[in-house]
Amino acid sequence: MTTFDRILPLVQKALGAKPQAVQRLPWLLINRDLNARVRLIAPSSVSQEDAQRTELLGLYQSLAAELGSHAYPVEAGILFEEQAEDAYQGARPFGLPGFDNVKVLDRLATDAHWESIANIAAGAPRFVFFSIKGGVGRSTALAASAWSLARQGKRVLVLDLDLESPGLSSALLPAERQPTYGITDWLVEDLVENGDGLLADMYATSDLETAGPIYLVPAHGREPGEYVSKLGRVWMPKVTGPSGRQSWSERLNRLINRLEQQHKPDVILIDSRAGIDEVAAACVTDLGAHTVFMFAIQGQQTWTGYQALFAHWQQRGVIRDIRSRLQLVAGLVPDDERRTEYLAALRADAYALFESTYDEVEPGKVSDWNFEEDDDNAPHSPLAIRWNRGWYGLLSLQQRMVQVDEAEVAAVYRALLNFFDRALNTESSE
Ligand SMILES: Nc1ncnc2c1ncn2[C@@H]1O[C@H](COP(=O)(O)OP(=O)(O)OP(=O)(O)O)[C@@H](O)[C@H]1O
Ligand SMILES: [Mg+2]
């Protein structure tokens, strides 16, 4: 039985068996549709030439025999288009290794493809707090970073994009300061051109003692309201005219740009959802992040998830677009004699993950994207956040933030805060 993961290897094998027939084609697309059934799309000129058409039919016949349920009946297995681009319809083709003139079109049911990496956003740098697993200390680290940056006088804009399990706002705001609306409300109202009216009432400033302000935009307002019904609509693309369509992450970008104009932050901190999820995809790939913090706790589940993401970025040929934005963070690092061993194991696994994204350097040449395992400035080198009793199982992180001082925050978050120092100071001297 042929299952999904065999599709591309079998396509490679079938095309590899008839290399000349493939080379004769100006281009060829492998269309893997929403049900993961495969068709070939070839130039219209081929359909008019008996010999080439017959050859292509033969090729699909042998491919279909291998693909089983993932193929179409042979007579319906080939489509023709004038231009390859006519078939794209929003999908972004990627190369099939070994064949210069063949590309794969992969149709997904979600808007989140994890494959088009937005350029770094102009304006204040955006730092995304992401992890594969939940509960690794992401939101707490974000709250501590916001506090610390604001203590230095920075204007900090914090967005809670963990829409499905929001909580960050309660970490930085006492209940009475919560605004009326949140990001979910804006995304729903924007669909009916009602979003701008919310902007004045969807943020609050923190009352922590800081030199610069912290503007916090929560996932939902003081009253979540019909949250489930609203959440079920936030992913909606917005139709903007006869042929216009704005994906939800484009809408989100528009919101962040508005908030940026409104609050003039020096830095934007974004609490992402965990996992290979649609909201997380927007945060990691679509928002023009300056840095994506990849929180990790040592264990197989962390690495399996990250490996799947990296493999996807490699396959789609975009790893070079994102690799310099990634930074590993070790959350909840044991604060006892296990610490050294734990971090060494985590570093080794992180290096195994990142190594394929580093350039291979020929003897005598240099590359600015090649790192040794023990290089502390490498993106795989974990910024360690210590597990600390004082930050564990808090009834109210907000109460905790009111009481902390620099030394307490630094004891746990120094590595992360130093990273911010380096990133923001380079930024301003550029
Ligand atoms: N440095 C730390 N030391 C000890 N406990 C911590 C530390 N940071 C966070 N915690 C605790 O770990 C738990 C998870 O933290 P947090 O909510 O910040 O994680 P998260 O990754 O944002 O989780 P979620 O995926 O649920 O949003 C909380 O109980 C928090 O108090
Ligand atoms: Mg969280």
Side-chain angles (χ1 to χ4, degrees):
M1 188 175 68
T2 301
T3 51
F4 190 93
D5 288 322
R6 294 291 302 142
I7 295 174
L8 292 183
L10 287 172
V11 170
Q12 272 175 294
K13 189 176 139 203
L15 300 194
K18 300 189 176 168
Q20 273 125 18
V22 177
Q23 263 161 28
R24 269 193 284 278
L25 299 166
W27 52 265
L28 179 68
L29 297 174
I30 312 296
N31 189 69
R32 185 161 64 177
D33 72 12
L34 283 168
N35 296 311
R37 284 213 176 89
V38 172
R39 275 202 257 229
L40 303 180
I41 307 178
S44 308
S45 57
V46 172
S47 71
Q48 283 135 31
E49 281 205 27
D50 283 349
Q52 273 206 329
R53 202 182 57 233
T54 311
E55 201 167 44
L56 192 62
L57 201 64
L59 198 149
Y60 188 75
Q61 218 153 14
S62 47
L63 175 62
E66 300 256 17
L67 289 178
S69 306
H70 287 282
Y72 274 81
V74 174
E75 62 282 6
I78 306 177
L79 303 173
F80 295 98
E81 291 282 2
E82 288 291 329
Q83 309 276 342
E85 291 76 18
D86 297 342
Y88 292 0
Q89 293 174 340
R92 190 174 181 274
F94 61 95
L96 187 72
F99 303 91
D100 290 341
N101 57 340
V102 182
K103 291 209 156 41
V104 181
L105 282 178
D106 205 16
R107 317 278 180 190
L108 306 190
T110 69
D111 258 350
H113 293 191
W114 288 93
E115 69 185 18
S116 42
I117 315 293
N119 290 335
I120 296 181
R126 302 174 179 185
F127 292 83
V128 171
F129 288 62
F130 171 69
S131 63
I132 285 292
K133 302 279 296 164
V136 296
R138 239 167 40 245
S139 300
T140 312
L142 193 157
S145 306
W147 177 87
S148 177
L149 291 165
R151 291 282 275 200
Q152 297 166 26
K154 299 250 188 296
R155 300 168 66 84
V156 185
L157 175 62
V158 173
L159 307 176
D160 187 358
L161 275 173
D162 194 355
L163 302 181
E164 273 128 338
S165 57
L168 183 65
S169 44
S170 53
L172 285 163
L173 295 177
E176 67 277 7
R177 286 178 86 93
Q178 302 280 341
T180 311
Y181 302 111
I183 293 174
T184 305
D185 298 286
W186 188 89
L187 285 166
V188 170
E189 297 302 332
D190 176 55
L191 292 169
V192 291
E193 304 295 349
N194 219 11
D196 286 354
L198 270 53
L199 287 172
D201 215 359
M202 60 182 291
Y203 74 93
T205 48
S206 135
D207 61 349
L208 300 174
E209 277 181 33
T210 53
I214 302 175
Y215 297 98
L216 193 113
V217 186
H220 59 68
R222 194 176 310 123
E223 302 289 341
E226 288 187 75
Y227 198 57
V228 176
S229 297
K230 287 186 280 188
L231 207 49
R233 291 178 165 86
V234 298
W235 328 121
M236 278 288 290
K238 183 172 173 180
V239 178
T240 53
S243 56
R245 177 186 185 277
Q246 222 178 23
S247 70
W248 88 272
S249 68
E250 287 171 310
R251 302 200 293 122
L252 190 58
N253 254 314
R254 195 149 47 72
L255 170 62
I256 300 176
N257 293 340
R258 290 275 163 79
L259 292 166
E260 206 176 336
Q261 284 162 5
Q262 193 180 1
H263 302 299
K264 310 264 180 301
D266 299 309
V267 50
I268 303 177
L269 307 183
I270 298 174
D271 199 9
S272 160
R273 176 142 191 82
I276 304 177
D277 155 278
E278 198 146 345
V279 186
C283 294
V284 172
T285 63
D286 303 349
L287 298 186
H290 170 286
T291 298
V292 176
F293 292 120
M294 298 166 45
F295 277 66
I297 47 171
Q298 183 54 359
Q300 195 48 49
Q301 286 166 315
T302 295
W303 303 117
T304 307
Y306 279 131
Q307 273 152 9
L309 261 187
F310 275 49
H312 185 73
W313 286 330
Q314 296 274 15
Q315 181 195 54
R316 304 302 166 103
V318 298
I319 193 88
R320 298 175 79 91
D321 300 335
I322 193 156
R323 63 182 186 178
S324 60
R325 323 244 200 115
L326 305 175
Q327 175 60 51
L328 200 83
V329 178
L332 307 177
V333 174
D335 202 24
D336 54 24
E337 69 288 350
R338 290 169 300 169
R339 175 183 161 81
T340 309
E341 197 184 333
Y342 179 95
L343 277 175
L346 196 124
R347 177 186 286 268
D349 282 342
Y351 183 64
L353 174 74
F354 275 76
E355 201 185 356
S356 62
T357 76
Y358 296 156
D359 290 336
E360 280 177 32
V361 187
E362 292 168 30
K365 296 251 168 85
V366 282
S367 157
D368 57 1
W369 213 253
N370 177 269
F371 303 92
E372 299 295 328
E373 182 174 336
D374 60 0
D375 185 340
D376 287 336
N377 293 317
H380 70 265
S381 174
L383 305 176
I385 295 178
R386 285 169 183 257
W387 188 94
N388 178 286
R389 188 181 299 277
W391 294 83
Y392 177 66
L394 297 173
L395 285 180
S396 163
L397 180 56
Q398 205 274 331
Q399 284 302 312
R400 171 86 183 132
M401 295 307 302
V402 171
Q403 293 158 8
V404 288
D405 61 34
E406 260 82 10
E408 266 181 294
V409 173
V412 177
Y413 293 103
R414 180 174 289 115
L416 184 63
L417 299 178
N418 285 346
F419 181 93
F420 273 110
D421 271 349
R422 287 196 301 275
L424 296 173
N425 293 336
T426 327
E427 199 78 15
S428 55
S429 64
E430 267 171 9

